[in-house]
Amino acid sequence: MNTLASLKTVTAGVLLWGLVLTARQERIDNVGIRDKGPEAVRIAVPEFRFATPGEKTERLAKVFNETLHRDLDFSGNLEIASPSFYPSGVFANPGDIKAEEWTKPGIAARYIAYGSLSLSGTRFIATGRLRDLTGQQDSIASNFPGHNDEEESARIAAHNFADRILEQLGFGRGIGRTQIAFASNRNGPKEIYAMEYDGTNQRRLTTHGSIAIAPRWSPADDRIAYTVWRDTGQQVAITSSNGERFSFAQAGGAANILPNWSPDGKTIVYASRRDGDYEIYSAGADGSNPRRLTNSRGIDLSPSFNPATGRRIVFVSNRSGTPQIYTMSFDGTDVQRITEDGGDAQNPVYSPDGKMIAFAWQKPQSGAFDIFLYDTQSLRFIQLTSNSGNNERPTFAPDGKHIAFQSTRSGTTQIWSMTLDGKKLLQLTTSGGINEGPTWSGFAKP
């Protein structure tokens, strides 16, 4: 967009940082890919089947099994034993499970998730069980119903079972029922779309017929704030995942862009040119009581709250000459610079626990943007991507263990996701044109 381009233009003729103190070199040392969290737990997941075979039931079983496998695998906490080593047979009931068949070399599973599928009238039901193979009892033995016999219900049942497994094993809430919003020009001008966390069920949310970009999902509910081109210029707009519209009062004739939410969804921060160059403002979620937070000679953009405390905001500013990452208190005081190694730093967001900041950084002489993490406690940087095109606009999943981002690694700009160690790469969009600027929803309501 024009604003980001202007940030890069400002850098022309500006000297990059030359000499760096030894202490600063230690602080910004690139420590590479991060190995985070406990060792993955090995689990076997034999296919769930219907008692009565048929074209429809086979289709629904395929959807359920693929979704369950993908949810558990992408969690990053579980390692799924290769099905090629599984014993033959149907594994639907407790008596079907013989521990020695699943703990032998080749499978070597600690747990097994198994069960069956059925239709009650038109209602899809999965009976899911989880067994620790060192014991004889199932720690999960529950029905996971859908609303009807359509594929969406099979996916929901699989998501709920996967989430229950992860919670039972102590890995916290799963992201199976979370969503990602993004901008796409697949049908003409860029509009806002949404999809499930794994790229399924992609759907259009807006129909402006102009340009809509940079969505940000409220952590409190299903509202999505974004930037739209109107007759009066660039403005903040708000929609929901079901297409409901919300008003946001703003001064006409002044560009207002790149909105983001406070943790409680009651405040929006955004960049505005109402006083000249772009400065950061905060306002109520309806645009009331706008308040200017920054006052610098440079351009200030892309504000994002610390979702754990709501007390700090991370943002981009070129006040030093090049776009760099800064933080400040929610009232605009106590401004601190984060990146000090030059280059072009963009798109900062806090992790859900507020301990990490993810951002895109084109370091000097690198030639491309990559995703970095900044650890606010150790004050160190961790590089998550490299040698794979431009990687930008990261967003954290609500579990804090996954990041979605846009990347040109496949040739065009598409949405990808990965675990926080830079692994489990998953391409979420493949549609023609540009798919960009992902934003992850909060957890689904129970």
Side-chain angles (χ1 to χ4, degrees):
M1 58 181 279
N2 293 337
T3 304
L4 296 180
S6 66
L7 265 176
K8 295 176 181 179
T9 302
V10 175
T11 66
V14 179
L15 293 176
L16 298 178
W17 289 83
L19 299 176
V20 183
L21 297 176
T22 300
R24 183 184 300 170
Q25 287 176 331
E26 293 176 353
R27 174 174 177 261
I28 65 173
D29 182 32
N30 182 356
V31 298
I33 297 298
R34 179 183 176 91
D35 183 13
K36 182 178 175 66
E39 184 177 350
V41 172
R42 195 167 174 85
I43 187 171
V45 190
E47 281 194 356
F48 283 60
R49 302 175 184 176
F50 284 90
T52 304
E55 181 179 346
K56 180 168 70 173
T57 56
E58 288 181 2
R59 172 173 53 85
L60 294 176
K62 184 174 186 291
V63 171
F64 177 88
N65 286 309
E66 288 180 348
T67 302
L68 178 62
H69 190 282
R70 186 162 52 241
D71 285 1
L72 296 177
D73 180 64
F74 189 62
S75 73
N77 299 122
L78 300 175
E79 178 186 0
I80 300 178
S82 173
S84 62
F85 292 97
Y86 291 2
S88 60
V90 176
F91 306 97
N93 301 302
D96 300 330
I97 306 302
K98 296 179 175 58
E100 63 273 13
E101 294 182 337
W102 301 94
T103 56
K104 64 184 181 181
I107 303 179
R110 169 70 187 276
Y111 293 89
I112 183 171
Y114 69 103
S116 61
L117 306 176
S118 61
L119 291 175
S120 177
T122 60
R123 195 179 192 195
F124 179 94
I125 299 174
T127 300
R129 299 176 179 272
L130 178 69
R131 178 174 298 185
D132 184 337
L133 291 166
T134 63
Q136 298 298 321
Q137 298 297 318
D138 291 340
S139 56
I140 297 176
S142 301
N143 287 335
F144 297 87
H147 302 297
N148 51 50
D149 66 340
E150 297 302 319
E151 293 183 9
E152 181 61 20
S153 284
R155 279 193 289 268
I156 290 174
H159 289 325
N160 288 337
F161 183 37
D163 287 353
R164 180 79 173 276
I165 290 171
L166 292 169
E167 288 188 273
Q168 180 67 36
L169 297 182
F171 296 121
R173 295 186 67 179
I175 59 172
R177 294 189 62 192
T178 60
Q179 301 180 70
I180 295 173
F182 59 101
S184 177
N185 67 352
R186 65 184 63 182
N187 292 311
K190 289 180 183 177
E191 299 280 2
I192 306 303
Y193 288 72
M195 60 184 168
E196 308 308 311
Y197 93 94
D198 57 3
T200 59
N201 191 26
Q202 297 186 20
R203 60 204 183 276
R204 183 171 170 174
L205 300 182
T206 64
T207 55
H208 292 290
S210 55
I211 298 175
I213 62 167
R216 284 299 175 189
W217 210 303
S218 167
D221 47 48
D222 69 344
R223 289 173 299 168
I224 301 167
Y226 58 98
T227 303
V228 64
W229 270 248
R230 302 188 189 277
D231 293 339
T232 54
Q234 299 164 333
Q235 297 284 285
V236 171
I238 304 173
T239 187
S240 72
S241 59
N242 61 12
E244 184 180 0
R245 300 288 187 265
F246 300 88
S247 61
F248 186 83
Q250 52 204 310
N256 301 291
I257 63 172
L258 304 179
N260 215 329
W261 300 87
S262 62
D264 60 8
K266 296 180 179 179
T267 301
I268 286 181
V269 286
Y270 58 101
S272 177
R273 292 192 63 180
R274 62 187 298 168
D275 295 316
D277 63 6
Y278 280 101
E279 302 286 351
I280 293 174
Y281 284 75
S282 68
D286 60 358
S288 60
N289 303 315
R291 179 185 179 187
R292 183 171 171 174
L293 301 183
T294 61
N295 187 11
S296 72
R297 297 182 62 181
I299 295 173
D300 299 324
L301 294 169
S302 303
S304 179
F305 273 99
N306 181 326
T309 66
R311 306 294 295 180
R312 289 200 74 77
I313 294 171
V314 64
F315 64 102
V316 175
S317 178
N318 70 349
R319 63 187 65 189
S320 66
T322 60
Q324 300 297 318
I325 307 299
Y326 292 77
T327 66
M328 63 181 171
S329 176
F330 71 100
D331 61 1
T333 61
D334 188 26
V335 176
Q336 299 179 19
R337 181 171 170 176
I338 299 300
T339 52
E340 297 182 336
D341 199 21
D344 186 343
Q346 303 277 358
N347 324 135
V349 288
Y350 274 101
S351 62
D353 63 6
K355 296 179 180 179
M356 308 290 290
I357 296 172
F359 64 100
W361 198 0
Q362 185 179 31
K363 299 189 75 172
Q365 289 83 48
S366 69
F369 280 96
D370 279 301
I371 304 299
F372 284 77
L373 294 177
Y374 173 69
D375 189 321
T376 63
Q377 297 178 321
S378 68
L379 309 184
R380 310 219 9 133
F381 293 89
I382 302 99
Q383 185 172 350
L384 297 186
T385 64
S386 62
N387 303 316
S388 53
N390 283 307
N391 302 277
E392 304 173 78
R393 301 186 185 181
T395 178
F396 280 93
D399 67 351
K401 301 175 184 177
H402 301 81
I403 287 178
F405 59 104
Q406 71 181 53
S407 177
T408 60
R409 65 184 60 210
S410 62
T412 59
T413 302
Q414 301 295 334
I415 309 299
W416 293 70
S417 61
M418 62 184 172
T419 48
L420 206 58
D421 55 5
K423 301 176 182 178
K424 299 289 184 183
L425 276 167
L426 182 64
Q427 184 171 351
L428 304 180
T429 61
T430 56
S431 298
I434 293 173
N435 297 281
E436 65 180 19
T439 177
W440 219 308
S441 76
F443 288 114
K445 301 299 182 183

